[in-house]
Amino acid sequence: MKAMLLEKQDALENKPLVLRDLPTPEPAEGKIRIKVHVCGACRTDLHIVEGELPAHRMPVVPGHQIIGIVDKAGTNVSRWKPGERAGVPWLYRTCGTCRFCTSGRENLCDTPHFTGYDADGGFAEYMVVDEEFAYRIPDNYTDLKAAPLLCAGVIGYQAFRATGLEDRGKLGLFGFGSSAHIIIQIAVHLGFEVFVVSRTQKELDLAGKLGAAWTGHIDDDMGAKLDAGIVFAPSGELLVKALTKLDKGGRIVSAGIYTTPLPGFDYSYIYPEKYLTSIAHTTRENVQAFLDVVSRCSIQTEINQYALEEANQALLNIKHSRVSGSTVLVIHQ
Ligand SMILES: [Zn+2]
Ligand SMILES: [Zn+2]
């Protein structure tokens, strides 16, 4: 099979992903083989390829927003049949036995495996995954529209649920990239009043179109206190300023895996009873809950398409922020 293989981490300008003809993987017991139709590309792939994230396995096929059809099932597979459409996100496998896995918090598993990082991912014609870590994709999304939901959408939804808000309320989104633009559509659908903070007018305009009740800059007066906020931008300063927008009992969730240092702040920023937290990865339960929600609304995503062989260029365009919206490699049409 054709695959874009990472043999050595390097700057994308040096085209570190190379087209190789690899043996088509065989699904072992409990695993399914997926014929990859499309695979999204995101900043995490960029960090794996260039080496900001240390290599876990080399060589490796990156890609963790996979949509395709089950092409072959290993022995003792009970949930899938060949021909069914399936999606595979970043969470490839958890141990199932550590104290986090056994208490419903597998996102904190001591020895997790990630798709396209610890195991070969979707920048290839085929990949294999444990049947328990693949998902049914709602029929109201094409392959292309579904792929970005599996990373930006899933992580955004993990952050959204970490706000603790279940019902209507005032929700702030700080930074408005691909994750935020999916979450605003879900929040509006669920009846939340959404306040969007961004530095760029283009993003604020998009937020307004997608139903934001208020848009503006961080130092502007929102005219109301928030029940919760999600900070998507990797800025410690923004995290601290977001706290000042909260009502009593409110919560700020940082959705990033990285942020700049937090400046010192007055106790009044977290008193009375305000919370600041981060999130890590996701659970299968969260992925499924997210897919259930998006099956009931029609999330709009803007897609940039590339061929498999163009993976270096696709990631380079993400690196230099040359594209807005989500990037997807088309492998089998
Ligand atoms: Zn575990
Ligand atoms: Zn991703």
Side-chain angles (χ1 to χ4, degrees), residues 73-84:
T75 53
N76 289 330
V77 165
S78 57
R79 292 183 56 227
W80 297 92
K81 288 192 194 70
E84 291 180 320

Side-chain angles (χ1 to χ4, degrees), residues 93-102 105-112:
R93 188 157 64 83
T94 52
C95 78
T97 55
C98 74
R99 68 194 181 93
F100 297 104
C101 282
T102 54
R105 296 178 293 165
E106 69 178 350
N107 60 308
L108 302 177
C109 176
D110 285 334
T111 51

Side-chain angles (χ1 to χ4, degrees), residues 41-45 64-65 90 151-152:
C42 81
R43 281 198 173 268
T44 301
D45 298 309
H64 57 269
Q65 305 165 67
W90 174 239
C151 187

Side-chain angles (χ1 to χ4, degrees), residues 85 133 150 213 232 310:
R85 187 161 78 140
F133 287 82
L150 288 181
F232 293 98
E310 297 173 311

